[in-house]
């Protein structure tokens, strides 16, 4: 009998790989095992095939066991969270914040962080977001106290529908185990634990650069706060591994209810693909970089302020590309350059990339000048401005201490929107204009979840919505279903339907209840 091309499942295990071995992916494509992968693979290891790209990801057995055990602890804790009161969850956030405020606790965390920073610098790695500071400590404490003071959403009735003899309620309920993979930013700990507010549990892996800092936070503040508040052990679990494979294994675990990834674009996209293959919804905080467009009605002073205040530090919402309409280029280009130079004086120099066709518009001192640029591997002298191909307008500049931005002169706002929609990660855009109709058209045509009319750095859950964010999502892989681009802890929930039936004789066909036999 024709079985329609299906094959039966077997219990055979993959125990080895051979160089050149074909591995199907994507339904009609084939990847091949490299000699290095074949030599490294051992019985008990896992091979994850990313169906989008054909990437062959080797997960050693030890890394799989580490991730699986962490997810298992969080799953066991979630099974008990229904017994935990909102008051106990409130006590957890308070205890976590108090411990971070304790100078002795923070000294231990800062010492571990200093060692992480030293090791990262020795490897030529960026430390801009790795170093802890008093400001980071303060923000972590404020974020935890915001969750402490937030109203518990579990059991909240979103909607009630009355029927004759019965009532249906739509009720907020916890989602489950939330998995996080994020880059070496220690402050994300406070953000990630926000999902506990709605009765979820969390398991996370931090970038290897910050693993020592993470271990110190867990040992000195997180675990003691969980114990003091009486939350189940495993309510928040660190995957204690420096290997990327541990993150792959965690996101491949179907016990996750939601997978959240924050970091660089390619790595985040890969993690998202792994989670989706496992059937897990994802929230991806990948490539960033904001765009700014100045139109023919742009006020020069407002434009200067918007550029300057969008370059105070490098994060995802920092200005990355500026477009100026041709009709105002002669006036606004000098304004932009002055604002960039002022931002550089606030930091350590500046760096400009200009679309090839527009490079000759720059003043001679910009075209021929050189300056000191602080890179991850250290300071070095570079040209002040360099031409780039139009396709490179989509590149996010991951600068350290030297503000770095791209510039393009466009025919009109429509061209800027077309470039943004085609080349950018579709994250954040702002229009500097005094024309209300121009702002309306811009909002309707720009394919971005975050749209503004001034500086770009407002895109932040805590700053804009007064909620510590779990992640910001761009629209690089399409628009988000039924939610905004800011994912906050109180947004991680499911909805259950609960019925209260007052009339015991309800029947869909209207039939009466027959007499009960004695």
């Amino acid at each position: 009998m024709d079985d329609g091309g299906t094959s039966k499942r077997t219990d055979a295990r993959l125990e080895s790989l051979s160089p050149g071995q074909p591995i199907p992916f994507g339904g009609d494509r084939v990847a091949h095992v490299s000699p290095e992968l074949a030599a490294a693979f051992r019985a008990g290891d896992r091979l994850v095939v990313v169906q989008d790209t054909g990437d062959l990801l080797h997960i050693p057995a030890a890394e799989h066991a580490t991730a699986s055990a962490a997810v298992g602890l969080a799953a066991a804790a979630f099974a008990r969270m229904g017994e935990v009161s909102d008051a106990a969850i409130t006590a957890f956030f308070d205890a976590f914040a108090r411990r971070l405020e304790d100078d002795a606790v923070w000294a231990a965390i800062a010492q571990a962080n200093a060692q992480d920073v030293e090791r990262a610098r020795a490897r030529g790695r960026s430390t801009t977001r790795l170093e802890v500071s008093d400001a980071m400590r303060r923000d972590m404490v404020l974020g935890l106290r915001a969750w402490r003071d937030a109203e518990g959403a579990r059991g909240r009735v979103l909607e009630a529908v009355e029927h004759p003899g019965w009532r249906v309620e739509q009720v907020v309920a916890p989602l489950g185990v939330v998995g996080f993979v994020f880059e070496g930013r220690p402050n994300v700990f406070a953000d990630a634990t926000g999902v506990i507010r709605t009765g979820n549990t969390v398991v996370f892996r931090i970038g290897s650069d910050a693993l020592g800092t993470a271990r110190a936070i867990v040992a000195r503040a997180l675990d003691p706060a969980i114990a003091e508040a009486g939350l189940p052990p495993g309510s928040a679990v660190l995957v204690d591994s420096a290997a990327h494979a541990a993150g792959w294994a965690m996101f491949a675990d179907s016990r996750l209810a939601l997978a959240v990834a924050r970091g660089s674009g390619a790595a985040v996209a890969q993690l998202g693909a792994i989670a989706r293959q496992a059937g897990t919804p994802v929230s991806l905080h990948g490539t960033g970089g904001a765009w700014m467009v100045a139109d023919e009605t742009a006020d020069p002073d407002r434009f200067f302020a918007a550029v300057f205040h969008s370059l105070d530090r490098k994060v995802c919402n920092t200005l990355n590309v500026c477009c100026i309409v041709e009709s105002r280029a002669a006036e606004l280009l000098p304004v932009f350059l002055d604002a960039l130079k002022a931002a550089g004086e606030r930091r350590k120099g500046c760096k400009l990339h200009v679309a090839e066709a527009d490079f000759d518009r720059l003043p001679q001192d910009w075209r021929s000048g050189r300056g000191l640029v602080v890179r991850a591997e250290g300071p070095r002298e570079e040209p002040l401005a360099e031409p780039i191909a139009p396709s490179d307008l989509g590149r996010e500049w991951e600068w350290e201490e030297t503000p770095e931005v791209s510039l393009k002169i466009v025919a009109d706002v429509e061209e800027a929107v077309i470039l943004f929609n085609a080349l950018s990660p579709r994250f954040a855009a702002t229009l500097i204009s005094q024309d209300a109709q121009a702002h309306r058209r811009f909002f309707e045509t720009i394919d971005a979840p975050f749209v503004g009319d001034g500086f770009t750095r407002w895109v932040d859950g805590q700053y804009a919505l007064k909620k510590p964010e779990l992640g910001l999502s761009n629209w690089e892989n399409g628009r988000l279903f039924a939610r905004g681009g800011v994912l906050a802890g109180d947004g991680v929930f499911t909805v259950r339907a609960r019925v209260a039936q007052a009339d015991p004789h309800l029947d869909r066909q209207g039939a009466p209840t027959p007499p009960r036999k004695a």
Side-chain angles (χ1 to χ4, degrees):
M1 179 183 289
D2 183 5
D3 64 0
T6 62
S7 61
K8 293 182 178 180
R9 174 180 172 179
T10 69
D11 292 327
R13 308 288 295 185
L14 181 65
E15 296 188 349
S16 64
L17 294 171
S18 303
Q21 179 178 343
I23 306 291
F25 75 96
D28 61 353
R29 290 172 288 172
V30 177
H32 294 88
V33 174
S34 69
E36 295 78 13
L37 174 57
F41 196 88
R42 298 287 183 271
D45 293 355
R46 263 76 170 174
L47 181 70
V48 171
V49 183
V50 181
Q51 296 299 314
D52 290 351
T53 62
D55 291 340
L56 304 180
L57 306 180
H58 175 210
I59 302 177
E63 300 301 336
H64 180 270
T66 297
S68 181
V71 175
L73 285 172
F78 179 71
R80 296 178 52 195
M81 284 297 286
E83 307 165 8
V84 175
S85 68
D86 284 345
I89 293 174
T90 297
F92 159 72
F93 287 112
D94 187 64
F96 195 0
R98 278 191 286 105
R99 279 169 171 76
L100 292 180
E101 281 189 322
D102 186 299
D103 289 340
V105 169
W106 188 256
I109 294 170
Q111 182 179 9
N113 180 254
Q115 294 169 353
D116 279 343
V117 170
E118 184 178 352
R119 284 189 290 266
R121 283 179 176 156
R123 297 197 303 271
R125 303 272 292 171
S126 171
T127 61
T128 301
R129 306 183 194 185
L130 173 59
E131 286 188 76
V132 299
S133 63
D134 289 340
M136 181 184 290
R137 178 188 185 185
R138 181 179 62 253
D139 288 345
M140 291 174 72
V141 170
L142 288 173
L144 290 168
R145 289 203 168 126
W147 290 127
R148 178 198 66 185
D149 298 337
E151 183 180 352
R154 293 185 302 172
R156 186 174 75 226
V157 176
L158 297 175
E159 180 185 14
V161 180
E162 299 287 350
H163 300 270
W166 61 298
R167 169 188 173 94
V168 183
E169 295 177 340
Q170 299 278 71
V171 184
V172 172
L175 183 66
V177 179
V178 181
F180 281 87
V181 173
F182 46 86
E183 75 281 24
R185 293 177 62 185
N187 60 307
V188 179
F189 261 81
D191 299 341
T193 57
V195 300
I196 296 175
R197 178 75 270 179
T198 42
N200 303 292
T201 59
V202 58
V203 56
F204 37 69
R205 178 190 174 271
I206 196 168
S208 58
D209 288 345
L211 186 55
T213 309
R215 288 169 175 159
I217 293 174
V218 169
R220 297 281 185 159
L222 179 59
D223 281 353
I226 289 173
E228 179 185 324
L231 268 57
S235 295
V237 186
L238 173 68
V239 177
D240 197 344
S241 172
H244 289 294
W248 301 336
M250 185 178 83
F251 269 38
D253 196 315
S254 60
R255 291 174 292 179
L256 296 184
L258 175 68
V260 182
R262 298 172 60 158
S264 62
V268 165
Q270 186 182 74
L271 285 165
I274 293 168
R276 281 191 289 262
Q277 289 176 194
T280 303
V282 300
S283 175
L284 305 180
H285 181 143
T287 306
W291 285 47
M292 183 179 295
V293 182
D295 80 353
E296 60 272 12
T297 69
D299 176 74
D301 291 335
R302 185 177 181 86
F303 181 45
F304 179 93
V307 173
F308 174 78
H309 293 298
S310 298
L311 292 169
D312 61 314
R313 62 187 291 246
K314 174 53 194 166
V315 286
C316 63
N317 56 29
T318 301
L319 175 61
N320 197 68
V321 176
C322 183
C323 296
I324 301 173
V325 296
E326 172 72 41
S327 62
R328 293 289 302 283
E331 178 186 0
L332 294 182
L333 177 56
V335 175
F336 169 78
L337 296 176
D338 286 348
L340 176 57
K341 187 176 294 184
E345 292 169 354
R346 185 182 188 183
R347 302 288 299 193
K348 295 181 180 178
C350 59
K351 176 79 177 187
L352 178 61
H353 303 270
V354 186
E356 291 169 332
D358 304 316
F359 189 75
D360 288 341
R361 294 173 178 268
L362 295 178
Q364 180 61 39
D365 58 336
W366 278 86
R367 282 181 283 144
S368 60
R370 299 182 66 83
L372 202 64
V373 177
V374 179
R375 300 291 184 193
E377 60 273 17
R380 66 187 191 192
E381 187 179 273
E382 296 183 11
L384 197 57
E386 295 186 77
I388 57 171
S391 59
D392 284 336
L393 288 173
R395 178 177 175 180
E396 181 183 10
W397 303 109
E398 292 284 0
W399 50 271
E400 294 291 315
E401 294 292 338
T402 305
E404 192 164 8
V405 66
S406 296
L407 173 67
K408 177 76 178 80
I409 306 300
V410 293
D412 48 31
V413 174
E414 182 180 0
E415 183 187 357
V417 169
I418 291 171
L419 289 171
F420 177 94
N421 291 346
L423 301 175
S424 83
R426 303 186 183 188
F427 178 56
T430 192
L431 175 66
I432 308 301
S433 172
Q434 298 185 83
D435 183 345
Q437 289 301 313
H439 280 290
R440 181 187 60 78
R441 289 192 301 272
F442 188 73
F443 186 82
E444 290 173 349
T445 57
I446 200 86
D447 199 23
F450 303 103
V451 182
D453 63 355
F455 85 137
T456 63
R457 291 271 285 111
W458 67 272
V459 182
D460 177 274
Q462 181 66 53
Y463 186 80
L465 303 181
K466 299 182 179 179
K467 295 181 180 180
E469 71 188 42
L470 305 180
L472 298 171
S473 296
N474 61 33
W475 283 357
E476 193 168 17
N477 295 307
R479 299 191 177 199
L480 306 173
F481 175 69
R483 74 172 182 88
V486 177
L487 179 67
D490 60 359
V492 180
F493 62 88
T494 189
V495 178
R496 305 172 73 184
R498 180 172 61 199
V499 164
Q501 184 176 335
D503 180 357
H505 304 293
L506 292 175
D507 185 88
R508 294 292 297 272
Q509 306 302 321
T513 305
R516 186 170 64 87
K517 294 181 180 180

